[in-house]
Amino acid sequence: MSEAATALAQTLRTESDRTCALFRALTPDRWSIQVYQDGATWTVRDLLYHFIHVEGQMFRIVEDIKRGGAGSPEIDIDPYNAKQTPLLAAAFVGQSEAALIERFAAEREKLAAFTVTFTDADLARQGRHPTLGIMTLNDLIRVIYLHLKVHGRDIKRALEAAAVPKEG
């Protein structure tokens, strides 16, 4: 175990807490607000589905790299996400927002608990991120929590924009 791994795990947990708080504060009408207008036309709910999916995928990639594997195959992110969005919506249909938030939190905690066990040598291992290429596990884990921050910022902007009355 290393101090760097402990710090990464703590940041993963902190970002998870912030993300969960953002989702928990939503009123029912806010879940269907569209966050992106171009390409991926995701709603707030779609982004939560995306977070759950990505956390599980990234855990498997991190686990593979730690074991000495290559990580992920390279993917073309826009077609991949376009294909995944309706599949995820179908997979999660009928689940409450509270249950989905807890599922995300559990996926993130699984990664944080795994990360805290890493040595400095583990963090230096290299493997492929699906879209960003070869990087160290240290950098890959940072990308994972930054991914959440970027989408979280976009969700907040969409929610603020939806709250502003339209001039007519």
Side-chain angles (χ1 to χ4, degrees):
M1 187 165 33
S2 78
E3 287 182 34
T6 300
L8 285 170
Q10 183 55 48
T11 303
L12 287 167
R13 289 178 173 127
T14 299
E15 291 307 320
S16 176
D17 291 346
R18 286 183 184 149
T19 300
C20 290
L22 170 66
F23 285 124
R24 286 185 184 116
L26 295 174
T27 56
D29 62 310
R30 310 297 275 168
W31 284 94
S32 60
I33 290 174
Q34 189 170 335
V35 177
Y36 298 116
Q37 309 303 319
D38 59 336
T41 55
W42 289 347
T43 64
V44 173
R45 180 177 282 105
D46 291 330
L47 277 164
L48 181 52
Y49 299 156
H50 173 70
F51 291 172
I52 295 166
H53 175 71
V54 167
E55 290 295 317
Q57 295 296 323
M58 294 309 292
F59 179 83
R60 286 184 280 288
I61 292 166
V62 167
E63 188 177 45
D64 180 63
I65 294 169
K66 185 175 186 269
R67 285 193 318 253
S72 174
E74 191 170 353
I75 64 169
D76 187 348
I77 194 67
D78 291 332
Y80 177 82
N81 282 338
K83 180 181 175 186
Q84 288 301 311
T85 301
L87 296 175
L88 294 172
F92 296 127
V93 71
Q95 294 187 37
S96 71
E97 284 86 5
L100 292 168
I101 294 166
E102 291 310 312
R103 186 165 175 178
F104 160 74
E107 290 288 342
R108 174 51 67 94
E109 178 53 32
K110 182 177 163 184
L111 177 60
F114 186 49
T115 299
V116 81
T117 69
F118 290 7
T119 65
D120 288 335
D122 292 330
L123 291 173
R125 290 182 183 272
Q126 292 191 340
R128 178 175 297 283
H129 179 279
T131 60
L132 300 176
I134 303 297
M135 61 181 61
T136 65
L137 268 179
N138 184 75
D139 289 341
L140 179 62
I141 293 166
R142 294 177 82 158
V143 165
I144 293 168
Y145 68 72
L146 290 172
H147 172 252
L148 219 60
K149 284 182 83 131
V150 168
H151 282 310
R153 178 202 65 206
D154 294 343
I155 290 169
K156 288 175 189 172
R157 286 181 181 164
L159 293 170
E160 289 168 6
V164 175
K166 305 270 191 273
E167 289 184 33

